[in-house]
Structure formats: structure tokens, C-alpha cells
């Protein structure tokens, strides 16, 4: 499923491993989100990501250009 994790990480010049440590989320999970290999997302993880990057779910999932 399309998402903006790649863009959000690039904006902060962060690596997946750094975000994984920061959020206490598996690197494998974040990697599958990053490469859009996952068809189902865990809401609690996506909410952590959105809170960390200060963006909405709609922005994260490319449904809106408004953060």
C-alpha cells in the first residue's frame, strides 16, 4: 500500500534503523512499510509514525497533500 514513509525519512535524513529505535518498532516492519510491501498496516504503529513526523493518516497514506 502506498505511503510516504520514504519521503518522511528523507526529509529528516533518517535511516529506518534510527526510526525503529526511536519508536521501539521492529526494523523489519518499518522496512516493509518503506518498500510498500505490506498490504495491512498496524494502526498503532502508523499512529506512532504519524505522531513522530507530525502528519495525518491521510498524508501518510497519500490521500492528501496537507500534513
Amino acid at each position: 500500500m502506498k505511503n510516504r514513509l520514504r519521503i518522511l525519512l528523507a526529509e529528516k535524513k533518517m535511516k529506518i534503523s534510527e526510526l525503529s529505535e526511536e519508536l521501539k518498532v521492529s526494523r523489519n516492519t518499518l522496512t516493509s512499510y518503506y518498500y510498500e510491501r505490506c498490504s495491512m498496516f498496524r494502526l498503532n504503529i502508523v499512529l506512532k509514525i504519524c505522531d513522530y513526523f507530525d502528519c495525518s493518516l491521510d498524508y501518510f497514506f497519500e490521500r492528501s497533500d496537507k500534513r
Side-chain angles (χ1 to χ4, degrees), residues 33 41-49 57 61:
Y33 292 4
F41 287 78
R42 291 181 49 200
L43 182 59
N44 63 324
I45 294 174
V46 175
L47 289 174
K48 281 183 179 185
I49 294 169
L57 288 170
F61 286 116

Side-chain angles (χ1 to χ4, degrees), residues 3-55:
N3 67 78
R4 287 193 165 106
L5 182 56
R6 182 182 301 247
I7 293 166
L8 294 167
L9 284 169
E11 287 174 355
K12 287 208 175 207
K13 297 180 179 162
M14 283 185 82
K15 296 178 181 177
I16 293 171
S17 59
E18 294 170 330
L19 185 61
S20 172
E21 287 179 27
E22 192 73 32
L23 299 182
K24 307 292 189 250
V25 173
S26 156
R27 189 173 52 84
N28 289 339
T29 298
L30 294 176
T31 299
S32 70
Y33 292 4
Y34 182 89
Y35 289 108
E36 299 176 348
R37 286 192 228 137
C38 134
S39 58
M40 289 181 48
F41 287 78
R42 291 181 49 200
L43 182 59
N44 63 324
I45 294 174
V46 175
L47 289 174
K48 281 183 179 185
I49 294 169
C50 288
D51 286 345
Y52 184 82
F53 290 108
D54 194 28
C55 68

